[in-house]
Every structure is written in C-alpha cells, then in structure tokens.
C-alpha cells in the first residue's frame, strides 16, 4: 500500500514521528507521500524525506488556507524545493470556500500560479477542493492539457463533482471519510464508479481517523498504519477483494508519482 497523503510534518507527530513510521511499515504500508502545505512545511517535508528516500516522498506547495500569507517570492521558493529528488507533485493547492481562511481572490491567484508551475516542471498537481462549487474543476479544465497528472486529494464531493473530475482524467484520493457511517454514505455509494486505474488511497493523517477501526484506538489522531482500514472499506463498497484494491491503488500511486 502507498499512502498518498500524510501530513507527517504536522505538530501532532512531533513527539513520535519515527514510531509512527515504524508502525506504518509494520502494517504493510510501502511508502508515504508527505504533504507540503506552505513553504515552511514543504521545506520540512523535503528534509524529512531525506531520511528514507526509498519509502518517503513529498509534495511542495501552498494550501488555499495559506494563500493570503505568502511572501513575495513564495513561488520561487517552491520551485527551488521542487528540484529535490523526493518531490513528486506540486501542492497541496486548490480552493477552499468552506471557511475562507484566505480570501477567494488570493486562493485563485495562488492556485493558478501553482498549476502553471506544475505544468512547467512536468509534475503532477495535488489538489484540494472544499465547497468550491465547481471552481477547482473549472481551473483544471483550463489547464488540463498542460498538466501531467492531477490528483484530487481527499475527495468528499458530489456525484456531479466526481463526474467532472473523471472527465478531466483526474485521479481520486479516498480517505477515512469512506469509513464514517455518519458522513460517508454518499462516498460509499459512488466509489465504485471510479475506474480502478484512477483510484488512490490516503489517510490525510493526523485527520480523518477511520471510524471502523477495531478495537477503537484511544487517540483520535490518525496515522498511516490505519490505511488498511480505508482499503477494507473501499473494497467492500466496490464489491472487490481487499487484495485487488491494494494491488491496483499501489500500482496507480507508483505510476502517478513516478515512485519506481
């Protein structure tokens, strides 16, 4: 298994990051894509991956929440970081109009700049979409021909949004949202529509702890070792075997992020 979205630089892992990684490897996870969310986190992600270049890779970028707080030379810094061998995508970038921690105009500006950077560098783009009302798909539609690959990270949207992304040949990342009997019913019903060569698995740790873990952990912190529980839910929702889901999502991750 490859966990294609882990916030390993998050403060939640500061005290026991090495133990978290050891549990991931012991659970059958073969590699992690560490998510960069701003310039500082992207730099830390690159440094983190240097410790285990055979199993740790990362993205570098600016999350929409941080779009209003970038320095004048933020894009130059991201481009410089992207030259590191462990960097496999630009992002996490996109639009988040749920809370508007950054004004929409700033989010759009920073998103478009990162789409241009990903196209110029020939790297995939790692995309965040929350309540953009089709805005992310619209921006991707204008840029898709120039982009190598697009990963829609932590998909929780509607059927229409899924159709729009699939029409753009995007890859779809599924998290522990699908394990949530309160909020994940729509995703459970839709995940079977994702072609097997477009499906990816991620924990988005430390967020979105799968609610199907048994016995239930004491901590609400998610971690990569829990990826197997997401794979199980995806397999059940797709009427597939667990082995089939693991096989294809691992192949997809290695292909999209050029991990071999």
């Amino acid at each position: 298994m490859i966990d294609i979205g882990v916030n390993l630089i998050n403060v939640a892992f500061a005290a026991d990051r090495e133990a978290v990684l050891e549990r991931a490897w012991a659970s059958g996870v073969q590699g992690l894509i560490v998510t960069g969310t701003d310039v500082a986190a992207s730099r830390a992600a690159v440094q983190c991956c240097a410790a285990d270049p055979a199993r740790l890779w990362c993205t570098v970028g600016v999350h929409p929440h941080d779009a209003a707080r970038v320095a004048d030379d933020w894009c130059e810094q991201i481009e410089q970081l992207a030259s590191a061998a462990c960097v496999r995508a630009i992002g996490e970038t996109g639009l988040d109009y749920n809370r508007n921690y950054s004004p929409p105009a700033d989010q759009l500006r920073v998103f478009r700049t990162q789409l241009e950077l990903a196209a110029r560098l020939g790297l995939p783009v790692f995309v965040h979409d929350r309540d953009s009302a089709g805005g992310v798909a619209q921006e991707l539609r204008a840029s898709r021909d120039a982009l190598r690959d697009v990963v829609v990270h932590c998909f929780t949207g509607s059927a229409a949004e899924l159709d729009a992304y699939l029409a753009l040949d995007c890859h779809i990342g599924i998290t522990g949202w699908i394990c949530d009997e309160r909020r994940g019913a729509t995703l459970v019903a839709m995940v079977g529509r994702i072609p097997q060569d477009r499906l990816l698995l991620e924990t988005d740790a430390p967020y979105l702890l799968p609610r199907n873990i048994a016995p239930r952990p004491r901590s609400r912190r998610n971690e990569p070792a829990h990826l197997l529980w997401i794979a199980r839910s995806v397999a059940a929702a797709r009427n597939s075997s667990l082995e089939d889901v693991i096989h294809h999502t691992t192949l997809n991750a290695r292909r999209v992020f050029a991990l071999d």
Side-chain angles (χ1 to χ4, degrees), residues 164-205:
Y165 285 131
L166 293 178
L168 291 167
D169 289 328
C170 297
H171 294 79
I172 310 296
I174 302 298
T175 64
W177 190 275
I178 199 170
C179 308
D180 190 330
E181 77 285 356
R182 307 161 305 170
R183 303 182 296 177
T186 300
L187 184 57
V188 168
M190 290 192 300
V191 74
R193 294 168 52 186
I194 302 171
Q196 68 179 14
D197 64 345
R198 294 282 151 181
L199 182 65
L200 297 166
L201 300 178
E202 54 177 318
T203 57
D204 200 25

Side-chain angles (χ1 to χ4, degrees), residues 111-172:
F111 184 27
R112 288 169 176 168
T113 300
Q114 288 178 94
L115 291 176
E116 292 170 1
L117 179 63
R120 181 154 48 83
L121 298 181
L123 287 170
V125 61
F126 192 74
V127 172
H128 173 103
D129 180 1
R130 189 170 186 192
D131 294 347
S132 78
V136 169
Q138 179 178 331
E139 296 301 318
L140 290 175
R141 197 170 292 113
S143 304
R144 186 65 185 92
D145 288 347
L147 294 168
R148 191 181 98 191
D149 273 306
V150 177
V151 174
V152 180
H153 141 76
C154 189
F155 179 78
T156 59
S158 66
E161 289 168 327
L162 178 61
D163 289 343
Y165 285 131
L166 293 178
L168 291 167
D169 289 328
C170 297
H171 294 79
I172 310 296

Side-chain angles (χ1 to χ4, degrees), residues 6-241:
V6 184
N7 296 284
L8 196 61
I9 304 305
N10 190 283
V11 66
F13 297 121
D16 63 343
R17 190 171 291 114
E18 288 304 316
V20 167
L21 289 172
E22 288 305 317
R23 286 192 291 272
W25 312 143
S27 75
V29 174
Q30 298 172 327
L32 310 177
I33 308 291
V34 181
T35 307
T37 54
D38 60 21
V39 172
S42 296
R43 183 173 293 111
V46 169
Q47 293 168 350
C48 176
C49 292
D52 193 348
R55 293 185 291 189
L56 295 177
W57 306 274
C58 67
T59 73
V60 292
V62 174
H63 191 285
H65 286 343
D66 298 298
R69 293 176 288 280
V70 292
D72 290 343
D73 65 342
W74 71 271
C75 188
E76 289 82 358
Q77 292 188 64
I78 292 296
E79 182 169 2
Q80 184 177 22
L81 289 169
S83 65
C86 61
V87 175
R88 300 307 165 96
I90 298 298
E92 177 179 357
T93 183
L95 302 174
D96 191 317
Y97 297 159
N98 179 262
R99 296 182 182 176
N100 280 326
Y101 287 128
S102 289
D106 289 329
Q107 294 187 43
L108 270 170
R109 173 176 52 83
V110 170
F111 184 27
R112 288 169 176 168
T113 300
Q114 288 178 94
L115 291 176
E116 292 170 1
L117 179 63
R120 181 154 48 83
L121 298 181
L123 287 170
V125 61
F126 192 74
V127 172
H128 173 103
D129 180 1
R130 189 170 186 192
D131 294 347
S132 78
V136 169
Q138 179 178 331
E139 296 301 318
L140 290 175
R141 197 170 292 113
S143 304
R144 186 65 185 92
D145 288 347
L147 294 168
R148 191 181 98 191
D149 273 306
V150 177
V151 174
V152 180
H153 141 76
C154 189
F155 179 78
T156 59
S158 66
E161 289 168 327
L162 178 61
D163 289 343
Y165 285 131
L166 293 178
L168 291 167
D169 289 328
C170 297
H171 294 79
I172 310 296
I174 302 298
T175 64
W177 190 275
I178 199 170
C179 308
D180 190 330
E181 77 285 356
R182 307 161 305 170
R183 303 182 296 177
T186 300
L187 184 57
V188 168
M190 290 192 300
V191 74
R193 294 168 52 186
I194 302 171
Q196 68 179 14
D197 64 345
R198 294 282 151 181
L199 182 65
L200 297 166
L201 300 178
E202 54 177 318
T203 57
D204 200 25
Y207 313 112
L208 296 175
L209 178 72
R211 286 176 57 85
N212 59 334
I213 297 176
R216 193 156 182 81
R218 293 181 180 179
S219 172
R220 291 175 57 84
R221 183 187 73 171
N222 197 9
E223 59 179 79
H226 299 323
L227 188 65
L228 183 61
W229 294 94
I230 299 170
R232 286 171 172 158
S233 290
V234 169
R238 289 174 66 87
N239 260 343
S240 298
S241 69

